[in-house]
Amino acid sequence: MKINGRCFKYGDDINTDVIFPGKYTYTVSEPSEMAQHAMEDLDPSFSERVSEGDIVVAGSNFGCGSSREQAVICLREAGIRAVVARSFSRIYYRNCINSGLVPIQSEAADVIQDGETIEIDLENGVLLCDKGEFTFPPFAGEVARILSCGGLIPYTRKLLGIENR
Amino acid sequence: MSKLTFAQKALAHASGRDSVQEGEVVFVDPDVCLSHDNSAAIASNFSAIGVDRVRYPSRIFIALDHCVPAANEKYAANHRRVRDFVRNQRIEAFFDVERGVCHQVLAEEGFAVPGGIVVGSDSHTCTAGAFGAFAVGIGRTEAAAVWASGRIWMRVPATIRIELSGEFPPGVCAKDLALKIIGDIGADGALYRSVEFAGDGVSNLSMSDRMLLCNMAAEMGAKNAVFAPDEETERWLAQCSPRYDRVDLRADEDATCERTLHYELTGLVPGLACPHTVDNYATASQKAGTVVHQALIGTCTNGRIEDLRVAAEVLRGRKVAYGTRLLVFPASNRVAKQMYDEGLHEVFLEAGAVLMNPGCGPCLGAHEGALAPGEACISTANRNFRGRMGCKESFIYLASPATVAASSVAGSIADPRPDGGVL
Ligand code: SF4
């Protein structure tokens, strides 16, 4: 699978409170409505500018802070297909896999410019941007299985043998 | 035999293996899965999986704490969904709005046990590592999958060892140590890692201190944090009735750690995390005089009786400054009861504090003490991100209960040490 998209670039330590503000965590539950508040405290015009297939690029420790999954879902629902970062917080990384938003850890995050269009080849672990080609380890093992099932829920249904129910 | 870290031993034991390697993926059946007000959202993920019953009702722990009592109709409806689910699934370990913050209640109720596998849909689940459990935060979808299948996958983390020696000087506590460590190694300094606290200094730390340090490990990016069980652990466990069998696991002395850090407690000073990241360290005296409009004592980080005692000691016979409001949130109703028994409530009330109900309070900005634009708050919580307390144009400083209490009296940031200025 290949992902082709325009990049929104942010800095280090982007926490889940700015990706999806805590004050909405129990009042907004519709995924499409979550998308409208994505990045609200960091980049207020994000939800108007973002379009289907775009990519978020960030520095280290992306998604640190609260474990709220809305911080993944709001980006996915806003149309973001992948997040490329120097590094991810552990829970955010797991949440991405479980919700079908592709997390790519790569040094490319340092050189990609805001607004640039990049290509990510998931099978071969290759990221192509203006500054050249970067490789990353393709998803393997359990993580790959969850992604190929389309997230943790379908994966668990399979595990429990109820995928056709 | 090879030399194993705590994380390797705990995950090997839980997955029925002799040993496991760093980076390996193993399947484990957690002893308990924690969640809170987010249980309604987990329940809808659970229904999406398509099974009718949870796999192990006795391994589910739910405490309502994030917005209690409900601030409005939406929160109330959310709480009702959780109560309905709990009743339908016959989950016994359910604690309603009166009980307290989930991590505190989990420990008080005997779900934090040496060698246990504790998972929780909250990033501070790592708090239970204070009791020697392997305790990690997971996402909501994962929690739903654990409810349904009783299992989860874990990648065996690398370990960072933090060696402590000495004793805290007067006016300095575990919070000051945690802020210093995070300031030194950064908010991603322990990303994906297991943090093991060790060294002679550990025997000087109360269970409350250990819970704080494990709690704040989340702010270093850690997967889990742990203290090996000792007499202090036994003292605590004797007060609660452990809900499952314990296994005493401790790291081999010479286990391979990625990194070892050393901290001498005697040399520490009162610290702060300045806006808007937890690793933005300064000492309290460097920022002395910064005006604070609100001061908060409580949360899963510093809402225990030990914290309230320290704060009351600072506040005894003093008044909260004009222009500053002090909010006090005991971490649980058990802590609150103890506070009343010891008469600490009188000290708080006489000082002019607002005595609040047990729970998370304004920690995540939902209710009970939000900030206005331009205001600054000094808080004993664990996060100071922009907007965390409900307003993105406000400023949050994190500090110890002593520093927060002293600052509330001064109306501005103050060093709480006997020779530090205000006292
Ligand atoms: S007190 Fe704050 S950090 Fe602790 S569980 Fe509640 S919201 Fe989370």
Side-chain angles (χ1 to χ4, degrees):
Chain A
M1 195 176 99
K2 282 192 179 158
I3 299 173
N4 243 305
R6 182 177 54 131
C7 296
F8 283 81
K9 172 121 186 215
Y10 303 103
D12 291 338
D13 296 321
I14 302 297
N15 64 68
T16 53
D17 277 282
V18 298
I19 304 174
F20 189 80
K23 61 185 172 206
Y24 300 126
T25 49
Y26 296 102
T27 51
V28 174
S29 54
E30 270 309 307
S32 58
E33 202 186 327
M34 286 179 198
Q36 291 163 19
H37 298 292
M39 299 290 193
E40 193 172 278
D41 285 352
L42 181 70
D43 179 359
S45 68
F46 175 83
S47 68
E48 288 152 33
R49 296 187 291 132
V50 69
S51 56
E52 184 64 32
D54 286 348
I55 294 168
V56 164
V57 179
S60 59
N61 205 16
F62 186 78
C64 59
S66 144
S67 60
R68 68 185 67 133
E69 266 166 48
Q70 295 97 318
V72 171
I73 295 169
C74 71
L75 292 184
R76 191 196 66 198
E77 289 299 310
I80 297 295
R81 283 293 143 266
V83 180
V84 179
R86 241 326 183 153
S87 64
F88 289 85
S89 92
R90 188 188 75 85
I91 297 180
Y92 196 88
Y93 188 85
R94 287 185 78 110
N95 285 344
C96 279
I97 307 264
N98 293 335
S99 309
L101 176 65
V102 176
I104 307 278
Q105 187 162 335
S106 167
E107 290 154 20
D110 296 348
V111 299
I112 297 171
Q113 304 286 320
D114 189 48
E116 167 179 351
T117 297
I118 65 169
E119 183 181 285
I120 304 168
D121 177 343
L122 289 179
E123 263 104 75
N124 298 308
V126 179
L127 185 155
L128 207 63
C129 64
D130 285 355
K131 288 273 158 55
E133 202 176 275
F134 290 80
T135 56
F136 57 89
F139 293 103
E142 226 46 53
V143 170
R145 244 162 296 179
I146 293 173
L147 274 178
S148 74
C149 289
L152 188 64
I153 288 183
Y155 168 86
T156 304
R157 290 169 62 81
K158 209 164 182 181
L159 193 76
L160 296 173
I162 56 167
E163 66 262 48
N164 302 320
R165 210 162 86 185
Chain B
M1 263 295 282
S2 59
K3 291 128 189 158
L4 302 178
T5 61
F6 168 77
Q8 285 173 308
K9 288 196 178 178
L11 291 176
H13 181 269
S15 59
R17 306 256 304 271
D18 289 337
S19 72
V20 292
Q21 300 297 314
E22 250 174 58
E24 211 179 315
V25 171
V26 297
F27 279 88
V28 297
D29 295 358
D31 293 296
V32 58
C33 178
L34 163 151
S35 56
H36 43 69
D37 303 37
N38 60 6
S39 305
I42 299 171
S44 40
N45 289 340
F46 174 79
S47 348
I49 294 172
V51 281
D52 300 329
R53 314 290 314 170
V54 298
R55 183 82 173 83
Y56 302 114
S58 64
R59 297 185 193 171
I60 298 179
F61 170 98
I62 297 175
L64 296 181
D65 61 359
H66 271 50
C67 186
V68 295
N72 58 34
E73 189 183 331
K74 282 205 168 183
Y75 287 103
N78 181 69
H79 287 169
R80 190 175 58 193
R81 279 198 293 279
V82 178
R83 292 187 192 105
D84 288 347
F85 182 83
V86 160
R87 194 172 332 100
N88 294 338
Q89 295 289 337
R90 302 197 186 90
I91 293 164
E92 280 172 21
F94 170 66
F95 303 92
D96 215 316
V97 298
E98 79 289 352
R99 187 66 178 86
V101 185
C102 57
H103 308 299
Q104 178 69 16
V105 178
L106 184 99
E108 289 177 356
E109 294 289 340
F111 283 97
V113 172
I117 302 284
V118 178
V119 297
S121 186
D122 187 274
S123 42
H124 295 102
T125 303
C126 47
T127 310
F131 299 84
F134 186 82
V136 300
I138 59 174
R140 292 177 182 184
T141 310
E142 292 182 302
V146 171
W147 286 1
S149 68
R151 325 208 97 176
I152 190 168
W153 62 272
M154 297 265 167
R155 200 182 289 268
V156 183
T159 293
I160 295 182
R161 199 175 149 99
I162 303 186
E163 292 261 1
L164 307 176
S165 58
E167 250 180 284
F168 293 117
V172 176
C173 70
K175 182 61 159 288
D176 300 303
L177 169 63
L179 294 173
K180 177 79 175 97
I181 298 174
I182 299 164
D184 289 346
I185 69 173
D188 59 353
L191 211 57
Y192 305 112
R193 306 296 186 271
S194 172
V195 172
E196 288 182 8
F197 289 96
D200 317 335
V202 166
S203 57
N204 296 325
L205 300 181
S206 68
M207 197 43 82
S208 175
D209 294 333
R210 299 177 193 190
M211 289 173 79
L212 180 139
L213 288 163
C214 289
N215 179 279
M216 296 284 299
E219 309 314 318
M220 312 168 193
K223 175 180 185 123
N224 74 299
V226 73
F227 281 87
D230 63 5
E231 294 101 67
E232 171 69 2
T233 323
E234 299 310 326
R235 205 178 57 74
W236 242 88
L237 291 173
Q239 291 167 21
C240 56
S241 354
R243 304 275 187 137
Y244 50 89
D245 292 342
R246 61 187 281 172
V247 212
D248 284 24
L249 303 168
R250 61 186 65 237
D252 292 323
E253 262 311 308
D254 38 8
T256 322
C257 295
E258 188 185 74
R259 202 174 161 193
T260 302
L261 308 170
H262 297 270
Y263 283 87
E264 163 60 53
L265 308 185
T266 326
L268 291 169
V269 299
L272 296 171
C274 300
H276 295 286
T277 53
V278 186
D279 56 6
N280 191 8
Y281 181 82
T283 64
S285 52
Q286 281 170 332
K287 297 284 170 185
T290 308
V291 171
V292 291
H293 305 87
Q294 181 164 299
L296 184 148
I297 295 169
T299 78
C300 59
T301 312
N302 274 135
R304 281 172 278 280
I305 191 67
E306 291 84 349
D307 303 311
L308 301 185
R309 284 180 193 141
V310 166
E313 229 17 80
V314 174
L315 291 166
R316 198 177 293 278
R318 297 194 167 82
K319 293 269 182 228
V320 172
Y322 179 78
T324 303
R325 30 189 209 271
L326 171 63
L327 312 182
V328 179
F329 290 82
S332 73
N333 59 358
R334 226 172 261 185
V335 172
K337 169 122 193 349
Q338 182 79 24
M339 170 186 80
Y340 287 112
D341 289 348
E342 295 182 17
L344 306 179
H345 63 297
E346 287 178 12
V347 179
F348 293 128
L349 293 174
E350 274 161 23
V354 189
L355 208 44
M356 305 292 292
N357 59 308
C360 300
C363 180
L364 79 165
H367 70 153
E368 291 186 332
L371 299 174
E375 286 191 332
C377 176
I378 186 159
S379 162
T380 63
N382 47 33
R383 289 198 172 134
N384 61 348
F385 304 147
R386 189 188 292 281
R388 174 79 182 175
M389 284 172 78
C391 169
K392 64 181 175 188
E393 286 111 46
S394 63
F395 304 88
I396 305 170
Y397 292 84
L398 304 179
S400 72
T403 304
V404 171
S407 304
S408 76
V409 169
S412 58
I413 294 176
D415 186 321
R417 286 174 298 178
D419 55 356
V422 291
L423 302 182

